[in-house]
Amino acid sequence: MTSFALLADPTRVRMLWALRDSQLDVSSLAAIADCRPTVASQHLSELRFAGLVVGERHGQRVAYRLRGGHVRALLVQALFHADHQVTGAPEHD
């Protein structure tokens, strides 16, 4: 699955948006995305496989974060583009 295809799912977008400025564990991401931790874990697996997020183990807990500035910029620009499509805002550079 490509990075853009992964952004088509609202649950994954909510999880990625939550990770734009912080590291969070599966339980926190599940609460933010309003899903069960097992569902959040499945989404995180896809996001890890695509190289969009990384996890760091801290004892029993794994903290997830965006893979870097390029992923953050991709997410922000994709959401701005979607907003322009929905609202009809004019294109700009």
Side-chain angles (χ1 to χ4, degrees):
M1 202 176 273
T2 68
S3 298
F4 289 108
L6 289 170
L7 293 176
D9 184 278
T11 301
R12 286 192 289 265
V13 171
R14 284 191 293 270
M15 292 169 62
L16 288 168
W17 191 252
L19 292 171
R20 73 191 182 285
D21 294 320
S22 62
Q23 293 186 0
L24 297 166
D25 62 11
V26 173
S27 296
S28 300
L29 287 166
I32 289 166
D34 195 29
C35 65
R36 294 184 318 275
T38 55
V39 172
S41 183
Q42 291 170 350
H43 284 297
L44 284 165
S45 177
E46 292 176 355
L47 294 169
R48 276 194 324 267
F49 184 73
L52 297 177
V53 300
V54 294
E56 295 177 13
R57 183 166 292 284
H58 302 280
Q60 296 277 337
R61 180 178 171 267
V62 177
Y64 293 91
R65 62 176 172 80
L66 294 183
R67 187 161 192 130
H70 290 273
V71 174
R72 184 175 296 105
L74 170 71
L75 176 64
V76 169
Q77 291 302 317
L79 292 177
F80 284 156
H81 176 72
D83 181 63
H84 283 151
Q85 294 295 308
V86 170
T87 64
E91 295 294 323
H92 58 84
D93 290 327

